[in-house]
Amino acid sequence: MVSFAERTEGFETVAARLDGHVAVITLNRPHRRNALNFQAYDELESALRAAADPDVRCVVVTGADPAFCSGDDVGEIMAGPKAVSAAPAPREPQPTPAAMAALECAKPLVAAVNGAAVGWGMELALFADIRLASEKARFGELFVKRGLVCDVGGFYRLPAVVGPAKAAELLFTGEIIDAAEALRIGLVSEVIPHEALMARALDLAGRIAANPPLAVQALKAGLARSAYGDPREIGTWAISEIRRLMRTADHREGVASFLEKREPVFRGN
């Protein structure tokens, strides 16, 4: 099997390293607050798949300061000639590959949320088994503000983590909450001083990695079996809805208002 280091060598938007038996995956576009462009999505997926290396027993995902992940790079993903909406719709939609790489990762996944985790950044945090937050962390399912629905994390994980009513509130309003509120509603396990976040995440991941790896992986598989629904089916439906909504005037207004830094006016078409 190709090693974790070999499979992640040469990445430009994601930094990956092995700390003992802990794989540390860092979104590394700080100039864009770690917003994901097409390359970043591909490299994140590849890094998560590379965690299949037997030397990896736990994974920590974080972002290069000042953010965890500010979601999609709107100028590339939602606007311009390479925008998703400009491409022909696939005959058979598939779930987001990076999302499935995170959800299908057999190793425990810890999110060290060091700043804004909004849009797909909050989705990435939700894919983790355990979320630790810096006091600077912020969370928001912003998709409704762009005239879209969330990805699989908001549908598959968020209701189980915070309850259906709170999940509905976060999804319907698109409001951003701080670390203290995230702790109160159970979205994160712990809020930690910013400077101590990675040390805490690595300590936790190290203690997990010190346990028998096959038993830990079986525990993770058992927890997945207790979840409701099939993430691939949910993810495929979400992508189908996202592509449908990308053809609406409200989506175009959501993108334009964001790029023009003004309040949007949605008309329901």
Side-chain angles (χ1 to χ4, degrees), residues 13-269:
T13 65
V14 171
R17 63 185 175 88
L18 198 57
D19 186 329
H21 289 295
V22 177
V24 181
I25 299 172
T26 305
L27 299 178
N28 195 29
R29 302 185 77 219
H31 60 292
R32 298 292 293 165
R33 298 181 65 80
N34 301 321
L36 294 162
N37 60 6
F38 293 112
Q39 182 180 358
Y41 269 114
D42 288 345
E43 291 183 356
L44 175 62
E45 178 198 0
S46 295
L48 290 164
R49 296 291 185 195
D53 181 344
D55 280 345
V56 176
R57 297 185 181 183
C58 191
V59 181
V60 173
V61 176
T62 192
D65 280 342
F68 177 73
C69 176
S70 59
D72 286 345
D73 190 324
V74 174
E76 181 172 338
I77 301 289
M78 297 184 188
K82 294 183 179 180
V84 173
S85 57
R91 181 173 298 178
E92 296 184 7
Q94 298 293 321
T96 305
M100 297 315 303
L103 288 170
E104 293 173 350
C105 179
K107 316 299 172 63
L109 184 59
V110 177
V113 184
N114 57 306
V118 296
W120 211 87
M122 181 163 172
E123 295 286 297
L124 179 57
L126 284 167
F127 299 146
D129 302 293
I130 302 168
R131 286 163 293 281
L132 305 177
S134 150
E135 58 203 354
K136 296 183 180 181
R138 300 292 183 271
F139 299 85
E141 289 275 10
L142 302 184
F143 298 92
V144 70
K145 301 292 189 181
R146 309 287 177 260
L148 301 174
V149 298
C150 60
D151 206 333
V152 60
F155 293 122
Y156 179 65
R157 280 279 175 86
L158 187 59
V161 172
V162 303
K166 193 64 182 180
E169 179 184 332
L170 293 171
L171 291 170
F172 294 166
T173 65
E175 291 177 352
I176 294 174
I177 61 172
D178 62 17
E181 176 66 4
L183 180 64
R184 188 189 72 81
I185 65 176
L187 181 60
V188 302
S189 301
E190 190 176 349
V191 176
I192 299 152
H194 186 75
E195 296 75 15
L197 175 65
M198 279 307 295
R200 174 74 178 101
L202 290 172
D203 174 71
L204 174 61
R207 287 189 283 120
I208 293 170
N211 284 327
L214 296 181
V216 171
Q217 291 171 42
L219 286 167
K220 175 162 180 171
L223 288 171
R225 292 171 71 90
S226 71
Y228 176 78
D230 175 1
R232 280 198 166 269
E233 187 276 330
I234 296 168
T236 299
W237 178 85
I239 292 300
S240 298
E241 285 298 288
I242 288 169
R243 287 189 171 274
R244 178 181 69 84
L245 291 166
M246 278 183 164
R247 297 192 293 270
T248 65
D250 277 350
H251 169 64
R252 292 191 292 274
E253 170 64 6
V255 172
S257 62
F258 173 80
L259 294 174
E260 296 165 9
K261 297 180 171 31
R262 61 173 173 81
E263 288 297 314
V265 179
F266 297 121
R267 303 189 184 280
N269 61 348

